[in-house]
Amino acid sequence: EVQLVESGGGLIQPGGSLRLSCAASGFTVSSNFMSWFRQAPGKGLEWVSLISSGPSTYYADSVKGRFAISRDNSKNTLYLQMNSLRAEDTAVYYCARVKYYYDSSIRRDYFDYWGQGTLVTVSS
Amino acid sequence: DIQLTQSPSFLSASVGDRVTITCRASQGISSYLAWYQQKPRKAPKLLIYAASTLQSGVPSRFSGSGSGTEFTLTISSLQPEDFATYYCQQLNSYPVTFGPGTKVDIK
């Protein structure tokens, strides 16, 4: 059974750093594309970052230069290192497995399994 | 970025009702659209991708259609467990974006 479990959220002051973890089971993180999303209180879903099965990483403009996605293959775990945190980063953060198909030679991504989320609150 | 709008934003319905939610894209995205269901304090659940392909394990009362800029999610006979918020997501290009959601509530 595929399962994703996030951890590492909490209350952090503006300018601080936090590392989120996403422990996977039922599949191998290193063989899959993985992504992070967030959802601010009472708001919709926002894509944050993606890591390919190779070394490629991608970020939303709102977090580029501040956040870093990575994985530890030996622990089958995905991470999101968040630096220089701002109040507007307050949200529930979800990890998700990426599924894709090719159409017109372009990869089309959707997200088939999600974790339960971890809350990050940036406040003084 | 591609913007998605959904209508209605809120829908009140009864068990057994046929429900239709519309998602519109700010530019043509062919059939590159997915639908998710989210219940309070839970993770999103994938229902449909490629506009009309039902994810494995999702009940057949859910269906999707559309292409270009207009898409619909239909629930043929609303069940008690279907009361939730529904989001569309475009697969056309990064950053992938989501609609603002449609909350389906009990009448």
Side-chain angles (χ1 to χ4, degrees):
Chain A
E1 181 193 3
V2 171
Q3 197 169 10
L4 295 165
V5 179
E6 299 97 337
S7 60
L11 175 63
I12 187 79
Q13 291 190 338
S17 298
L18 212 54
R19 189 179 80 159
L20 305 183
S21 301
C22 170
S25 58
F27 74 101
T28 304
V29 165
S30 62
S31 302
N32 285 267
F33 287 39
M34 299 291 296
S35 206
W36 285 98
F37 295 85
R38 65 186 181 184
Q39 188 170 33
K43 302 295 185 182
L45 295 158
E46 178 187 15
W47 172 76
V48 172
S49 182
L50 176 142
I51 186 167
S52 73
S53 53
S56 300
T57 58
Y58 306 88
Y59 299 94
D61 287 345
S62 57
V63 306
K64 200 173 294 182
R66 301 188 298 124
F67 289 13
I69 190 171
S70 63
R71 60 175 178 252
D72 184 330
N73 296 341
S74 66
K75 295 182 178 178
N76 208 32
T77 297
L78 177 74
Y79 299 101
L80 185 68
Q81 177 67 42
M82 304 187 297
N83 300 326
S84 303
L85 283 161
R86 306 166 180 167
E88 54 265 35
D89 295 319
T90 294
V92 175
Y93 284 73
Y94 297 98
C95 61
R97 187 175 76 170
V98 180
K99 297 297 286 185
Y100 57 84
Y101 61 97
Y102 281 92
D103 189 272
S104 302
S105 303
I106 296 173
R107 197 186 80 238
R108 311 294 176 178
D109 293 349
Y110 58 99
F111 310 95
D112 67 341
Y113 284 97
W114 298 61
Q116 85 290 348
T118 186
L119 176 62
V120 173
T121 303
V122 184
S123 175
S124 54
Chain B
D1 298 0
I2 296 173
Q3 308 300 317
L4 299 177
T5 59
Q6 290 182 234
S7 60
S9 54
F10 181 84
L11 186 162
S12 187
S14 301
V15 172
D17 284 353
R18 181 181 181 89
V19 168
T20 299
I21 298 168
T22 298
C23 177
R24 292 184 174 87
S26 59
Q27 64 187 72
I29 57 171
S30 186
S31 61
Y32 308 135
L33 192 94
W35 290 97
Y36 298 83
Q37 175 194 69
Q38 187 178 33
K39 297 181 180 179
R41 295 170 297 282
K42 298 292 187 181
K45 175 186 175 183
L46 175 68
L47 300 175
I48 286 168
Y49 62 95
S52 60
T53 301
L54 200 65
Q55 170 69 354
S56 175
V58 173
S60 59
R61 63 180 179 273
F62 290 92
S63 64
S65 65
S67 67
T69 60
E70 187 159 326
F71 303 84
T72 59
L73 172 71
T74 300
I75 309 172
S76 60
S77 177
L78 199 65
Q79 298 302 299
E81 60 269 29
D82 300 337
F83 292 96
T85 299
Y86 294 84
Y87 294 95
C88 55
Q89 174 235 324
Q90 60 85 11
L91 288 58
N92 187 77
S93 60
Y94 274 87
V96 295
T97 49
F98 293 81
T102 294
K103 185 175 182 180
V104 177
D105 208 346
I106 303 172
K107 182 184 284 185

